[in-house]
Each structure stands twice: as C-alpha cells, then as structure tokens.
Amino acid sequence: MTNTAKYLKGLKAGIGMGIAYIPFGLTVGLIAKNNGMYTIVTAAMSFGIYAGGSEAMLLKMVYEQHSTAIEVIISVFMINLRYLLLNLLIFRQLKSGTKLFEKILVGAGLTDETITYAVIQEERSPWYIIGLNTVPYLCYASSSVLGSLFGNMIPETFRASLSFILYSIYFSLLVMSLQKLPKFFEVVLYVIAAKLAFMYLPVLNMVSSGWAMILIMIGSSLIYAIRHRKDEIKENE
C-alpha cells in the first residue's frame, strides 16, 4: 500500500474523533472571545499550538489569574509533560526506517485520543497516523475560530451537552483497548486508586494537577511492570 493510500485510510479513521473535537474547539474559541482575544490571535493559537486543554489553561491564567509568563510556561509544560511518555508508545511502534521528518509530522499532531487509537490498532505506518491526526487537528482549530466568531449564538445548554462527546469517544477507546488486552484493566484500577488518593488524602491533595497526572502515570505503570516483570520475561522466551 502506498503512502498516499495509507494517509487516506488514516484520514477516514480520524473523522469520528474530529467531530468529537468540534464542541471543545467552540468552547475554547468562545472563552478566548469573552476574554477579549482577537479572532486572528485565536486562530494563530489553535492552528499553531494545537494544545486543547493547555490553551484553555493559558487563557484562564493570562486573563483571569493574571499569571506571569514563567508561571504560564511551567503550568503548560507540566500538563503536556505526559506526552514524553505517551509519544514513546507511538515512536517505538513505528516501522523501522521511518524518516525524521515523518516522525516530526506524526508527533506534531498526536493527542490522547489518536495515540490510544493508533496503539489499539497497532499501526506502524507513519502516514496512516499523520492522516489520523489531520481531521481532528483541522476540526479543532477551525471550530475554535468559529467559536470566537459565533460562539455566543450557541445556547449554553447545547454547548454543555456537546462537551460529553469527547469524553464518550475516549471512553469507547478505553473499552476497546481493555477488550483487546484485558490484563491492562489492572492498570486502570491503579490509576483510579491513585487519582482518588491525590484528590482526598492530606498532603497529596495539595499536589498540582500537572504533577499529579505525571506521578499517577509513572507510579501506575511502574507498579504494573514490577508485578508482572517475570510474566513478561516468560512470554518473550
């Protein structure tokens, strides 16, 4: 199969995720407009940064909390630090001989949802993943511009209900992955337990959400790896 065919196949697979990104993009665009950001700046932010939750945090910190540049940089960095771990899953999965510019294109468009889908499908073609990333990117960035222009015309209840689409599609991807690899359900339990600990236990509930996310991912993965290290060795023998 040619690179073009793989790209088009990935493009088709990303349509559902792209649709799910639209309400979130509209919301970010509306937040930007309500805080006085020009639409052209919103477009540059969404098409250039493409960071979703980080963009929403950036807007809140700059316009509501009046944070310093250093505080914004550190906070956004902490939120996105998880991609140092998540992207490893994709880059280890890519076929040997993948060129550097292909890896750059793959990495630039990855999100939690596209990473999960590509891992579930065990897709090794960089051009399939680039295609998978394309529609969500265009839908999110374009809808943020539309949200900046026309977001106030959308009823609040409708905007709130649309937000559940993104959570629904991510939950469906989680179910698909657990059906294929049920042994990883144990990791999900570790994550839930750790999340509850960081929410309610003294001292731990004082940890920032960015650090908590990193510690939960590393801790849960480490516990699973230690518990099943011998099993993995036996499977590879």
PDB file of all heavy atoms in Angstrom, residues 121-133:
ATOM      1  N   GLN A 121      -4.811  -0.147  17.365  1.00  0.00           N
ATOM      2  CA  GLN A 121      -4.748  -0.714  16.016  1.00  0.00           C
ATOM      3  C   GLN A 121      -3.378  -1.279  15.671  1.00  0.00           C
ATOM      4  O   GLN A 121      -3.208  -1.904  14.621  1.00  0.00           O
ATOM      5  CB  GLN A 121      -5.126   0.364  14.988  1.00  0.00           C
ATOM      6  CG  GLN A 121      -6.539   0.897  15.134  1.00  0.00           C
ATOM      7  CD  GLN A 121      -7.585  -0.184  14.929  1.00  0.00           C
ATOM      8  OE1 GLN A 121      -7.461  -1.035  14.048  1.00  0.00           O
ATOM      9  NE2 GLN A 121      -8.636  -0.153  15.755  1.00  0.00           N
ATOM     10  N   GLU A 122      -2.388  -1.027  16.555  1.00  0.00           N
ATOM     11  CA  GLU A 122      -1.004  -1.471  16.316  1.00  0.00           C
ATOM     12  C   GLU A 122      -0.507  -0.995  14.953  1.00  0.00           C
ATOM     13  O   GLU A 122       0.161  -1.722  14.218  1.00  0.00           O
ATOM     14  CB  GLU A 122      -0.907  -2.988  16.429  1.00  0.00           C
ATOM     15  CG  GLU A 122      -1.286  -3.521  17.807  1.00  0.00           C
ATOM     16  CD  GLU A 122      -1.173  -5.040  17.900  1.00  0.00           C
ATOM     17  OE1 GLU A 122      -0.893  -5.678  16.856  1.00  0.00           O
ATOM     18  OE2 GLU A 122      -1.344  -5.567  19.005  1.00  0.00           O
ATOM     19  N   GLU A 123      -0.844   0.257  14.643  1.00  0.00           N
ATOM     20  CA  GLU A 123      -0.490   0.833  13.350  1.00  0.00           C
ATOM     21  C   GLU A 123       0.975   1.271  13.339  1.00  0.00           C
ATOM     22  O   GLU A 123       1.417   2.014  14.210  1.00  0.00           O
ATOM     23  CB  GLU A 123      -1.400   2.033  13.052  1.00  0.00           C
ATOM     24  CG  GLU A 123      -1.194   2.622  11.682  1.00  0.00           C
ATOM     25  CD  GLU A 123      -1.323   1.597  10.566  1.00  0.00           C
ATOM     26  OE1 GLU A 123      -2.372   0.943  10.487  1.00  0.00           O
ATOM     27  OE2 GLU A 123      -0.360   1.464   9.790  1.00  0.00           O
ATOM     28  N   ARG A 124       1.724   0.805  12.336  1.00  0.00           N
ATOM     29  CA  ARG A 124       3.155   1.087  12.266  1.00  0.00           C
ATOM     30  C   ARG A 124       3.494   2.090  11.176  1.00  0.00           C
ATOM     31  O   ARG A 124       4.625   2.563  11.094  1.00  0.00           O
ATOM     32  CB  ARG A 124       3.926  -0.219  12.037  1.00  0.00           C
ATOM     33  CG  ARG A 124       3.683  -1.270  13.122  1.00  0.00           C
ATOM     34  CD  ARG A 124       4.491  -2.545  12.898  1.00  0.00           C
ATOM     35  NE  ARG A 124       5.906  -2.297  13.095  1.00  0.00           N
ATOM     36  CZ  ARG A 124       6.824  -2.429  12.145  1.00  0.00           C
ATOM     37  NH1 ARG A 124       6.460  -2.792  10.919  1.00  0.00           N
ATOM     38  NH2 ARG A 124       8.098  -2.209  12.396  1.00  0.00           N
ATOM     39  N   SER A 125       2.546   2.413  10.330  1.00  0.00           N
ATOM     40  CA  SER A 125       2.805   3.339   9.234  1.00  0.00           C
ATOM     41  C   SER A 125       2.718   4.785   9.704  1.00  0.00           C
ATOM     42  O   SER A 125       1.685   5.207  10.233  1.00  0.00           O
ATOM     43  CB  SER A 125       1.799   3.125   8.100  1.00  0.00           C
ATOM     44  OG  SER A 125       1.864   4.194   7.170  1.00  0.00           O
ATOM     45  N   PRO A 126       3.777   5.582   9.515  1.00  0.00           N
ATOM     46  CA  PRO A 126       3.703   6.997   9.929  1.00  0.00           C
ATOM     47  C   PRO A 126       2.649   7.770   9.156  1.00  0.00           C
ATOM     48  O   PRO A 126       2.000   8.676   9.692  1.00  0.00           O
ATOM     49  CB  PRO A 126       5.110   7.520   9.645  1.00  0.00           C
ATOM     50  CG  PRO A 126       5.667   6.606   8.599  1.00  0.00           C
ATOM     51  CD  PRO A 126       5.083   5.262   8.906  1.00  0.00           C
ATOM     52  N   TRP A 127       2.420   7.413   7.885  1.00  0.00           N
ATOM     53  CA  TRP A 127       1.467   8.166   7.073  1.00  0.00           C
ATOM     54  C   TRP A 127       0.026   7.871   7.453  1.00  0.00           C
ATOM     55  O   TRP A 127      -0.844   8.730   7.324  1.00  0.00           O
ATOM     56  CB  TRP A 127       1.706   7.909   5.586  1.00  0.00           C
ATOM     57  CG  TRP A 127       2.948   8.611   5.141  1.00  0.00           C
ATOM     58  CD1 TRP A 127       4.185   8.073   4.938  1.00  0.00           C
ATOM     59  CD2 TRP A 127       3.091  10.025   4.917  1.00  0.00           C
ATOM     60  NE1 TRP A 127       5.088   9.044   4.595  1.00  0.00           N
ATOM     61  CE2 TRP A 127       4.442  10.248   4.563  1.00  0.00           C
ATOM     62  CE3 TRP A 127       2.210  11.094   4.971  1.00  0.00           C
ATOM     63  CZ2 TRP A 127       4.926  11.529   4.279  1.00  0.00           C
ATOM     64  CZ3 TRP A 127       2.688  12.357   4.690  1.00  0.00           C
ATOM     65  CH2 TRP A 127       4.019  12.573   4.349  1.00  0.00           C
ATOM     66  N   TYR A 128      -0.235   6.694   7.947  1.00  0.00           N
ATOM     67  CA  TYR A 128      -1.572   6.404   8.480  1.00  0.00           C
ATOM     68  C   TYR A 128      -1.831   7.288   9.701  1.00  0.00           C
ATOM     69  O   TYR A 128      -2.902   7.888   9.839  1.00  0.00           O
ATOM     70  CB  TYR A 128      -1.676   4.931   8.868  1.00  0.00           C
ATOM     71  CG  TYR A 128      -3.011   4.550   9.471  1.00  0.00           C
ATOM     72  CD1 TYR A 128      -4.026   4.021   8.684  1.00  0.00           C
ATOM     73  CD2 TYR A 128      -3.257   4.734  10.836  1.00  0.00           C
ATOM     74  CE1 TYR A 128      -5.258   3.680   9.237  1.00  0.00           C
ATOM     75  CE2 TYR A 128      -4.475   4.403  11.389  1.00  0.00           C
ATOM     76  CZ  TYR A 128      -5.474   3.866  10.597  1.00  0.00           C
ATOM     77  OH  TYR A 128      -6.690   3.547  11.148  1.00  0.00           O
ATOM     78  N   ILE A 129      -0.852   7.380  10.593  1.00  0.00           N
ATOM     79  CA  ILE A 129      -1.015   8.167  11.812  1.00  0.00           C
ATOM     80  C   ILE A 129      -1.100   9.655  11.489  1.00  0.00           C
ATOM     81  O   ILE A 129      -1.868  10.393  12.121  1.00  0.00           O
ATOM     82  CB  ILE A 129       0.136   7.881  12.792  1.00  0.00           C
ATOM     83  CG1 ILE A 129       0.133   6.395  13.171  1.00  0.00           C
ATOM     84  CG2 ILE A 129       0.003   8.740  14.047  1.00  0.00           C
ATOM     85  CD1 ILE A 129       1.298   5.974  14.033  1.00  0.00           C
ATOM     86  N   ILE A 130      -0.334  10.107  10.495  1.00  0.00           N
ATOM     87  CA  ILE A 130      -0.432  11.504  10.063  1.00  0.00           C
ATOM     88  C   ILE A 130      -1.846  11.796   9.555  1.00  0.00           C
ATOM     89  O   ILE A 130      -2.438  12.837   9.865  1.00  0.00           O
ATOM     90  CB  ILE A 130       0.618  11.815   8.976  1.00  0.00           C
ATOM     91  CG1 ILE A 130       2.030  11.739   9.568  1.00  0.00           C
ATOM     92  CG2 ILE A 130       0.378  13.202   8.369  1.00  0.00           C
ATOM     93  CD1 ILE A 130       3.131  11.776   8.531  1.00  0.00           C
ATOM     94  N   GLY A 131      -2.396  10.867   8.776  1.00  0.00           N
ATOM     95  CA  GLY A 131      -3.773  11.017   8.305  1.00  0.00           C
ATOM     96  C   GLY A 131      -4.759  10.993   9.450  1.00  0.00           C
ATOM     97  O   GLY A 131      -5.721  11.774   9.489  1.00  0.00           O
ATOM     98  N   LEU A 132      -4.523  10.114  10.422  1.00  0.00           N
ATOM     99  CA  LEU A 132      -5.387  10.016  11.601  1.00  0.00           C
ATOM    100  C   LEU A 132      -5.411  11.332  12.380  1.00  0.00           C
ATOM    101  O   LEU A 132      -6.445  11.733  12.913  1.00  0.00           O
ATOM    102  CB  LEU A 132      -4.883   8.882  12.501  1.00  0.00           C
ATOM    103  CG  LEU A 132      -5.643   8.611  13.802  1.00  0.00           C
ATOM    104  CD1 LEU A 132      -7.023   8.052  13.503  1.00  0.00           C
ATOM    105  CD2 LEU A 132      -4.853   7.649  14.680  1.00  0.00           C
ATOM    106  N   ASN A 133      -4.264  12.019  12.412  1.00  0.00           N
ATOM    107  CA  ASN A 133      -4.155  13.282  13.150  1.00  0.00           C
ATOM    108  C   ASN A 133      -4.776  14.464  12.415  1.00  0.00           C
ATOM    109  O   ASN A 133      -5.131  15.472  13.042  1.00  0.00           O
ATOM    110  CB  ASN A 133      -2.680  13.619  13.410  1.00  0.00           C
ATOM    111  CG  ASN A 133      -2.016  12.667  14.388  1.00  0.00           C
ATOM    112  OD1 ASN A 133      -2.680  12.036  15.198  1.00  0.00           O
ATOM    113  ND2 ASN A 133      -0.702  12.570  14.323  1.00  0.00           N
TER     114      ASN A 133
END
